[in-house]
Amino acid sequence: MFLIVNLLGIFVFIAIAALLSNDRKNIQWRSVGIVLILEIALAGFFTQFKAGQVAVQSAADGFNWLVSVASQGIAFALPDWLTANNGGPNFVTSALLPILLVVPLFDILTYIGFLPWLIKWIGKGLAFITGQPKFEAFFSIEMMFLGNTEVLAVSKSQLDSMSARRNFTLAMMSMSCVTSAVIGAYTQMVPGKYVLTAIPLNILGAIIVAAILNPTKVTAEEDVIVNITEKGEKKEPFFSFLGDSILGAGKLILIITATVIAFVSLAALINQLFSLTGFHWLTLENIFGVIMFPFAWLLGFSAEDAFRLARFMGTKLVTNEFVVMGEVSKSIMAGKGVFANEHARAVLTIFLTSFANFGTLGMIIGTFKGLVNKEKNDYVSSRVPYMLISGILVSLLSAATAGLFIW
């Protein structure tokens, strides 16, 4: 029965997107169907076939290895931090400080041209298979490695050449990415194999949801990728580049740390204020649970388990994924409580693996304001609810497609 509900959930999420579409009659259902089939096939490959399971587990192990290597630098500079938490590393040392190695590593791969080459050809292949415009396919791959604001920043020339409507498509897609810089942090808190499964599913899900919510006709003349670097542009000296990368990684750690502390504290404050009413059941978690319950139930759970997971899902949308991962990390890794169910571990991990939350909205709007003209920025800014809906539906769709195969 739960499998049937899970399967039904996929079509319900797509139906919700169609219901909210701003141009239903121009939805390219053939292209949407192709991408959906590809997403389901990819979910099955990563979860049911040995080669797929080995691929995602090897990728997760690779990030875990990077974290273990980074711990040598942490041990040299801050040895006490690795033993201060009852003999084990804390959230900052295990999840965040390794970013100081991961970010420069990916930046070096970009500097030598490997990542741009990989992004280009995967994007072209995805555009050919799915029938989506070239840059939208290219963008979906690029944001997986660079992150939402970073990929927008390096795409300024493309944004200038595209219509406001296509700019809005990219804004919606940006809600569903993660950056490679934080994947190592995720794999320290939740099952790495599901984190790595979520990333390609989110790419395809972002294409599906954006194509339904904001269908856009692109002519052959418009379907081009503008060069984002000037010809003959002199490359920055390597060590200057590396220094900037390390400083950027440090700023990212400070931002995440400050955000997590602030959100957890604010949530605790709100719950304390709610307790003054005398209604002990009135908490942020329960409010979110009520709102997200029907969607969690459609992912294939009993009513009781759906409500428990819905609380985490809602909290993630209002705060961020790090807050929830930190809260559930021990239970999900140990398989305790609701997470004794493999389906629950997989579904929640995949749902959490994205930047879809209220904070990301502000980041994206701010980025567009600095990159495009007022007309395009106003077009994107006036459609913020669509962006949040897009991020939620992509996370639900990714969790549902993977959940079909994990019980």
Side-chain angles (χ1 to χ4, degrees), residues 119 122-124 126-127 130-143 151 158-159 162-174 203-204 206-208 210-211 214-219 222-225:
I119 291 167
I122 296 177
K124 284 187 174 182
L126 189 58
T130 63
Q132 291 295 308
K134 292 186 181 69
F135 186 76
E136 278 78 343
F138 173 84
F139 183 85
S140 68
I141 300 297
E142 193 175 27
M143 69 181 183
V151 69
Q158 186 76 38
L159 298 176
M162 294 167 62
S163 67
R165 192 176 182 88
R166 288 183 72 190
N167 272 249
F168 178 52
T169 293
L170 301 184
M172 286 195 296
M173 294 174 69
S174 297
I203 290 172
L204 297 174
I207 293 174
I208 292 171
N214 188 53
T216 306
K217 291 184 178 180
V218 179
T219 65
E222 295 173 318
D223 192 14
V224 295
I225 295 179

Side-chain angles (χ1 to χ4, degrees), residues 76-361:
F76 175 80
L78 303 164
D80 292 341
W81 284 30
L82 292 174
T83 57
N85 187 27
N86 297 320
N90 55 40
F91 170 69
V92 173
T93 52
S94 65
L96 298 187
L97 289 184
I99 289 174
L100 290 169
L101 172 63
V102 178
V103 170
L105 175 61
F106 276 87
D107 283 346
I108 289 170
L109 293 177
T110 300
Y111 185 87
I112 65 178
F114 175 74
L115 272 188
W117 174 84
L118 184 65
I119 291 167
K120 173 184 176 182
W121 288 105
I122 296 177
K124 284 187 174 182
L126 189 58
F128 176 78
I129 293 171
T130 63
Q132 291 295 308
K134 292 186 181 69
F135 186 76
E136 278 78 343
F138 173 84
F139 183 85
S140 68
I141 300 297
E142 193 175 27
M143 69 181 183
M144 175 176 69
F145 293 99
L146 301 181
N148 46 19
T149 56
E150 293 87 345
V151 69
L152 289 170
V154 301
S155 303
K156 185 181 188 311
S157 298
Q158 186 76 38
L159 298 176
D160 289 338
S161 70
M162 294 167 62
S163 67
R165 192 176 182 88
R166 288 183 72 190
N167 272 249
F168 178 52
T169 293
L170 301 184
M172 286 195 296
M173 294 174 69
S174 297
M175 290 293 295
S176 302
C177 77
V178 297
T179 173
S180 53
V182 298
I183 295 174
Y186 291 164
T187 60
Q188 300 307 295
M189 296 184 286
V190 291
K193 62 182 179 180
Y194 296 137
V195 170
L196 273 298
T197 297
I199 294 169
L201 297 186
N202 284 345
I203 290 172
L204 297 174
I207 293 174
I208 292 171
V209 173
I212 297 175
L213 286 176
N214 188 53
T216 306
K217 291 184 178 180
V218 179
T219 65
E221 293 76 18
E222 295 173 318
D223 192 14
V224 295
I225 295 179
V226 177
N227 289 328
I228 60 175
T229 56
E230 299 291 338
K231 289 185 177 180
E233 183 181 3
K234 188 176 180 181
K235 186 178 288 188
E236 182 182 3
F238 176 75
F239 286 103
S240 173
F241 167 85
L242 183 61
D244 289 342
S245 175
I246 293 171
L247 287 175
K251 291 177 182 176
L252 178 61
I253 292 171
L254 290 175
I255 290 169
I256 294 173
T257 303
T259 301
V260 169
I261 292 172
F263 274 129
V264 170
S265 300
L266 284 171
L269 174 61
I270 292 171
N271 281 337
Q272 287 295 321
L273 293 176
F274 281 158
S275 70
L276 298 177
T277 65
F279 299 112
H280 299 295
W281 51 266
L282 186 59
T283 64
L284 276 178
E285 292 80 4
N286 286 339
I287 292 172
F288 297 148
V290 171
I291 295 172
M292 292 299 296
F293 169 75
F295 305 105
W297 180 78
L298 284 168
L299 293 172
F301 294 101
S302 66
E304 183 179 359
D305 287 347
F307 183 73
R308 290 173 179 168
L309 294 175
R311 295 168 66 193
F312 297 128
M313 292 176 177
T315 302
K316 183 257 186 181
L317 296 174
V318 177
T319 58
N320 62 40
E321 70 281 5
F322 278 104
V323 172
V324 181
M325 285 183 181
E327 184 178 348
V328 304
S329 179
K330 291 183 179 179
S331 296
I332 204 169
M333 287 299 202
K336 295 180 180 178
V338 66
F339 300 115
N341 181 339
E342 187 70 18
H343 185 68
R345 288 200 294 274
V347 164
L348 186 63
T349 298
I350 292 170
F351 182 89
L352 294 177
T353 307
S354 81
F355 289 162
N357 57 59
F358 284 101
T360 299
L361 287 172

